[in-house]
Amino acid sequence: YLSGFLSEADRISTRIQTIRGDADARIGTDVSAVNDLLKSISALNGSISGAAVSGADATGAQTTQMSYIDQLSKLVDVKVNQEANGGVSVRNQSGLTLVSASNYTRLASKPAAGVNATTSFGPLTVTGVNGETRDLADSLSSGEIRGLLDIRDKTSVAVNDQLNEYVTQFSAQMNAAHNASSAV
């Protein structure tokens, strides 16, 4: 029974590491999607402001841009401000500029090659509109990427730690029961 219990605990621990690896891979995919959306939103700022200057209709570009912003808001937290030229600026809830009138930030993440209980993941970085690079993870308050970071770095680690503690306590109790019933 004990070996079956320990095998099952090992299987669960391995599955937890798989979940962490899956979350890490999805973060990489989402980072690519965010970069594409930021680039597209920024490009549309140029079209919209150009239309405003020339008196042309920018409704189609504005509708498309709002669709991109809606997609972006599912991945990271955003606050949108309408600019005087018709375009938008986009920031996250902590105030980090994601899209300015004429530029956009770029996110970077390097998914881990293999994941185990001791894997240390690389940072999720952002290169801002002025070229500065910093860790983005702490300035995200919501969105799919925040949720994936929490699963990868907090929730699954806590569950694995609880599992390890349970197995340790169970083994100690089994050893104590065995020692109490055996002759010295």
Side-chain angles (χ1 to χ4, degrees), residues 44 47-49 52 57-69 82 85-88:
L44 285 168
S47 299
I48 292 166
S49 64
D57 182 22
T59 306
Q62 289 171 323
T63 301
T64 301
Q65 188 178 58
M66 290 313 290
S67 172
Y68 291 152
I69 292 169
Q82 191 70 41
N85 65 4
V88 296

Side-chain angles (χ1 to χ4, degrees), residues 1 22 69 80 100 118 160:
Y1 292 111
D22 291 348
I69 292 169
V80 180
S100 66
T118 62
N160 199 60

Side-chain angles (χ1 to χ4, degrees), residues 169-184:
Q169 291 298 321
F170 181 80
S171 297
Q173 293 297 319
M174 288 295 290
N175 283 336
H178 174 72
N179 291 340
S181 64
S182 65
V184 176

